[in-house]
Amino acid sequence: MSTEVKSDLYKEAGVDIDLAQNLLKSVKEKISSTRRPEMLAPIGGFGGMFQIDLKKYKNPILVSSIDGVGTKLMVAMMMEKYDTVGHDIVNHCIDDIAVQGAEPVFFMDYIGIGKLRSPLYEQVLEGIADACKAANCAVLGGETAEMPGMYGNDFDLVGVISGMVDKDKLITGEKIKAGYAAIGLASSGLHTNGFSLARKVLFDQCGYDVHSTPEELGGESVGEALLKPHTCYWPAIKEALDSEEIDLDGMAHITGGGLYDNVPRILPEDLDVVFDKNALPVLPIFKLIVEKGAIDPVEAYRVFNMGIGMVWFVPAEQADAAIKICADAGFDAAVCGKVLPGNRKVTVN
Amino acid sequence: MSTEVKSDLYKEAGVDIDLAQNLLKSVKEKISSTRRPEMLAPIGGFGGMFQIDLKKYKNPILVSSIDGVGTKLMVAMMMEKYDTVGHDIVNHCIDDIAVQGAEPVFFMDYIGIGKLRSPLYEQVLEGIADACKAANCAVLGGETAEMPGMYGNDFDLVGVISGMVDKDKLITGEKIKAGYAAIGLASSGLHTNGFSLARKVLFDQCGYDVHSTPEELGGESVGEALLKPHTCYWPAIKEALDSEEIDLDGMAHITGGGLYDNVPRILPEDLDVVFDKNALPVLPIFKLIVEKGAIDPVEAYRVFNMGIGMVWFVPAEQADAAIKICADAGFDAAVCGKVLPGNRKVTVN
């Protein structure tokens, strides 16, 4: 079993460790299915072990990132649907290291919760296992902590990803040049950012609940639109890294801060990027939030991804090849901007 | 800056991202002081990068573990003292992988909190940085998430450790034989386990608060005794691994489940261990809890470490050398048990 449940309570306080073990059993097979050959058999469950494949990496760099799902969890609780947040935490973590060219190799989760309960617990772990399996990333370990006094009915979900890349294959953005094309890869929705503003507008201001179906969403409920899982771009990135047709010289994962704050993180300091906001469709959920909340466009593009979950930078003449790689891997993508001489400024027109 | 602050709130919701940045600034130097040469300069802060030192490891195994501090955080909040829980999370994580022979190399933290505030935030990060520095472990990254609707006035603290060990130096426990000595290394107190029971007995049943000074504690307050940081055993383990005088064939980190549950995790299935509960002093805080709570001794040794935070297994004739290594590294240690033929049973007499 790669996931450990601890409870800081004891029998007399009414906690049923057996419940935890039974719930875990039902997802054990799914978690086990994420195994990779580099994983060593566990030793007493103290730490998970992963062997570095020296045939694969001459100069191995480990890339790690830790993240939470944030208040998207509150929408999951309102919907009583917990598998998608498992996908969210895994995919968010993977995208955060994949933009540096790292292959995701193992993942660990932490669930802090007031009272362990079914089906929440199995659904979260199933979502995690399914998302890891899809990206060929092992679930190496996990920790669940029951703390009634702290979480009440709520829970928090934290993920840690580790990936590997050879040092000379690290993608740093430093090779990006003026004239490069910015390729936008479509997002599925808010991913894991902007939920406080979205909840404020949709629930507090508009009076919607998760089951409301405003016509702007074309039949989808507010909860369904908000819970769409974070897109995992690794399948497209992997193809691009393996391809000899394109030089993928920079990638930015568009999370909190939007295009404005995330693109400059990898942009050389003497370059600007000008984005065209009409290059990719703005999803209905964004239109609804922006319109109902009368949100300033600049603010909207700072809080939300607005339909672009990732940006790739390639030489302009390789843009079509890059878009084809994305399409073949199942991702909508389009040229959505251009790199110009400047001073690390991002404009969205 | 190796720690990232995200807030799922925005200006109009009254969150001051500048506050977070200012608080971070004050601990930036401490966090930076934990750098190791294997760390690469950050790329836009997406993922932290750590180079595997192939001169040091022929067949490198990465050992990782994720953990939380649990409801010891509540005692920290009652004491309004937040540095020690930083030490707790780091040291707990380090001990969890050090028992497999892994050198801790980098650490990442997650802080989930209702409202970011000073001095809580700096104290937690200072504690983390100090504990990492002491173990020569780099703070590679971190994440702070402000979620008022979820945490209220509380916070949670999660840590992830990664360590390295050469495959043929992994310590698995499989070489432990009948006749081996069990060396107990003294704990500083509860470490990070048993706080729900401790709080129930001391606060609910006895009516103490954190500032109470029951005579059993010899002048120390309840809060001081409870908050004693988790001991980091890595300095002693490192000396033992480097020493040619002893064969350190097994180690168990005594956390939740106590001697009863943690020792069998690394014990070969045909062996038992019999512990002598008088071999190391039982700390006053344990005596107080057990006496006031009328806790059954077996229950006490299952919930608490009762003064033994780690157990080493060495051939009996090497026990003195092992104890000397511990003493030289500043740790109280004593032979506290013996390995016998059996079926993975632990007895405490």
Side-chain angles (χ1 to χ4, degrees):
Chain A
M1 181 57 61
S2 54
T3 288
E4 191 177 358
V5 182
K6 282 185 196 165
S7 180
D8 201 31
L9 291 168
Y10 311 99
K11 268 167 275 167
E12 71 269 35
V15 159
D16 189 354
I17 291 273
D18 292 341
L19 171 66
Q21 294 305 331
N22 283 334
L23 298 183
L24 263 180
K25 253 183 222 161
S26 71
V27 286
K28 187 177 176 177
E29 205 173 310
K30 278 211 168 178
I31 293 174
S32 299
S33 76
T34 68
R35 281 193 69 85
R36 285 176 57 122
E38 303 98 318
M39 272 174 73
L40 274 62
I43 300 175
F46 288 107
M49 290 173 295
F50 194 90
Q51 186 161 4
I52 310 294
D53 183 351
L54 296 183
K55 290 196 198 82
K56 200 162 166 182
Y57 306 100
K58 268 185 306 192
N59 204 343
I61 307 290
L62 194 66
V63 187
S64 278
S65 186
I66 186 165
D67 227 305
V69 178
T71 54
K72 191 172 189 173
L73 293 173
M74 290 184 169
V75 181
M77 283 187 270
M78 294 164 82
M79 289 283 281
E80 298 182 51
K81 177 170 164 45
Y82 304 100
D83 56 336
T84 54
V85 292
H87 288 262
D88 282 314
I89 188 63
V90 171
N91 294 347
H92 182 117
C93 283
I94 287 177
D95 289 342
D96 258 355
I97 64 159
V99 292
Q100 290 168 218
E103 176 195 358
V105 293
F106 68 82
F107 176 87
M108 297 192 294
D109 68 280
Y110 170 85
I111 301 172
I113 191 164
K115 176 100 183 102
L116 206 60
R117 54 195 186 268
S118 178
L120 182 154
Y121 189 58
E122 311 94 284
Q123 286 185 6
V124 170
L125 291 180
E126 270 175 29
I128 287 172
D130 285 342
C132 280
K133 178 86 177 160
N136 188 28
C137 176
V139 178
L140 190 70
E143 167 85 1
T144 300
E146 255 191 315
M147 295 183 281
M150 203 130 101
Y151 280 100
N153 277 321
D154 292 331
F155 74 109
D156 201 358
L157 177 57
V158 179
V160 187
I161 190 84
S162 289
M164 300 289 307
V165 56
D166 230 324
K167 193 173 184 182
D168 61 6
K169 290 184 176 166
L170 264 173
I171 297 177
T172 64
E174 65 190 4
K175 294 182 188 166
I176 299 172
K177 288 178 191 64
Y180 266 43
I183 311 285
L185 280 74
S187 71
S188 58
L190 276 67
H191 287 177
T192 49
N193 286 97
F195 277 84
S196 286
L197 184 53
R199 290 185 302 121
K200 185 180 161 193
V201 170
L202 298 174
F203 302 144
D204 301 348
Q205 291 176 9
C206 298
Y208 296 141
D209 67 24
V210 287
H211 305 296
S212 303
T213 52
E215 58 178 334
E216 291 90 337
L217 296 185
E220 207 168 39
S221 74
V222 167
E224 285 165 351
L226 289 177
L227 272 198
K228 284 270 163 65
H230 203 114
T231 307
C232 176
Y233 297 102
W234 172 242
I237 294 170
K238 184 179 187 311
E239 291 304 318
L241 297 176
D242 290 345
S243 164
E244 303 204 335
E245 287 180 61
I246 68 167
D247 302 303
L248 185 49
D249 284 336
M251 286 186 270
H253 182 199
I254 309 306
T255 58
L259 291 170
Y260 287 115
D261 288 352
N262 287 290
V263 169
R265 292 164 77 171
I266 52 110
L267 200 64
E269 59 180 4
D270 60 343
L271 298 177
D272 283 355
V273 183
V274 178
F275 285 98
D276 168 9
K277 68 172 71 161
N278 298 313
L280 272 172
V282 174
L283 300 169
I285 185 71
F286 293 122
K287 285 187 183 156
L288 181 69
I289 297 168
V290 168
E291 190 192 315
K292 297 286 184 187
I295 296 167
D296 174 79
V298 172
E299 178 74 357
Y301 276 86
R302 197 176 294 282
V303 172
F304 302 114
N305 66 60
M306 296 300 286
I308 300 177
M310 179 163 285
V311 178
W312 289 3
F313 292 95
V314 296
E317 65 276 15
Q318 299 176 358
D320 289 345
I323 291 166
K324 186 172 184 310
I325 286 172
C326 290
D328 289 348
F331 296 83
D332 286 334
V335 173
C336 66
K338 191 171 176 178
V339 179
L340 301 169
N343 53 6
R344 208 178 257 164
K345 204 170 80 250
V346 167
T347 314
V348 183
N349 289 328
Chain B
M1 181 55 63
S2 54
T3 289
E4 190 178 358
V5 183
K6 282 184 193 163
S7 180
D8 200 32
L9 291 168
Y10 312 98
K11 266 168 277 169
E12 70 269 35
V15 160
D16 190 354
I17 290 274
D18 292 341
L19 170 66
Q21 294 304 332
N22 283 334
L23 298 185
L24 262 179
K25 252 181 222 162
S26 71
V27 287
K28 186 177 177 177
E29 206 173 310
K30 278 212 167 178
I31 292 175
S32 299
S33 77
T34 68
R35 281 192 70 85
R36 285 176 57 121
E38 302 99 318
M39 272 176 73
L40 275 61
I43 301 174
F46 288 107
M49 289 173 294
F50 194 91
Q51 185 161 3
I52 310 294
D53 184 349
L54 296 183
K55 292 195 197 83
K56 200 163 168 182
Y57 306 101
K58 269 185 306 192
N59 204 343
I61 307 289
L62 194 67
V63 188
S64 278
S65 187
I66 186 165
D67 228 304
V69 178
T71 54
K72 190 171 188 172
L73 293 173
M74 289 183 170
V75 180
M77 282 188 270
M78 293 164 83
M79 289 283 281
E80 298 182 51
K81 177 169 167 44
Y82 303 101
D83 56 337
T84 53
V85 292
H87 287 262
D88 281 314
I89 188 62
V90 170
N91 294 348
H92 182 117
C93 284
I94 288 178
D95 289 341
D96 258 355
I97 63 159
V99 292
Q100 290 168 219
E103 176 194 358
V105 294
F106 68 80
F107 176 87
M108 297 194 294
D109 69 280
Y110 170 85
I111 301 172
I113 191 165
K115 176 98 182 102
L116 206 60
R117 54 195 186 270
S118 179
L120 182 154
Y121 189 58
E122 311 94 284
Q123 286 186 4
V124 170
L125 291 179
E126 270 176 29
I128 287 172
D130 286 341
C132 280
K133 177 85 178 163
N136 190 27
C137 175
V139 178
L140 190 71
E143 167 86 0
T144 301
E146 254 191 315
M147 294 182 283
M150 203 130 98
Y151 279 101
N153 277 322
D154 292 331
F155 74 109
D156 201 358
L157 177 56
V158 179
V160 186
I161 190 84
S162 289
M164 300 289 306
V165 56
D166 230 323
K167 194 173 183 181
D168 61 7
K169 291 186 177 164
L170 265 173
I171 296 177
T172 63
E174 65 191 2
K175 294 183 189 165
I176 299 172
K177 287 177 193 64
Y180 267 44
I183 312 284
L185 281 75
S187 71
S188 58
L190 276 66
H191 286 176
T192 49
N193 287 96
F195 276 85
S196 287
L197 184 53
R199 290 186 300 121
K200 186 181 160 194
V201 170
L202 298 174
F203 302 143
D204 301 349
Q205 291 177 9
C206 299
Y208 296 141
D209 67 24
V210 286
H211 305 296
S212 304
T213 51
E215 59 178 332
E216 290 90 338
L217 296 185
E220 207 169 38
S221 74
V222 167
E224 285 165 349
L226 288 177
L227 272 198
K228 284 270 164 63
H230 202 113
T231 306
C232 176
Y233 297 102
W234 172 243
I237 293 170
K238 184 179 186 309
E239 291 305 318
L241 297 176
D242 290 346
S243 163
E244 302 202 338
E245 287 179 61
I246 67 167
D247 302 303
L248 185 49
D249 285 335
M251 285 186 271
H253 182 200
I254 309 306
T255 58
L259 291 171
Y260 288 115
D261 288 353
N262 287 290
V263 169
R265 292 163 77 170
I266 52 111
L267 199 63
E269 59 180 3
D270 59 345
L271 298 176
D272 284 355
V273 184
V274 178
F275 285 99
D276 168 10
K277 68 173 67 161
N278 298 314
L280 272 172
V282 173
L283 300 168
I285 185 72
F286 293 121
K287 283 187 184 158
L288 182 68
I289 297 168
V290 169
E291 189 191 320
K292 297 286 184 187
I295 296 166
D296 174 78
V298 172
E299 179 74 357
Y301 277 85
R302 198 177 292 283
V303 173
F304 302 114
N305 66 61
M306 296 300 286
I308 300 177
M310 178 162 287
V311 178
W312 288 3
F313 292 94
V314 296
E317 66 277 15
Q318 299 175 359
D320 288 345
I323 291 167
K324 183 169 187 310
I325 287 171
C326 291
D328 289 348
F331 296 83
D332 287 332
V335 173
C336 66
K338 191 171 178 179
V339 179
L340 301 170
N343 54 4
R344 209 179 256 163
K345 207 170 78 246
V346 167
T347 314
V348 183
N349 289 330

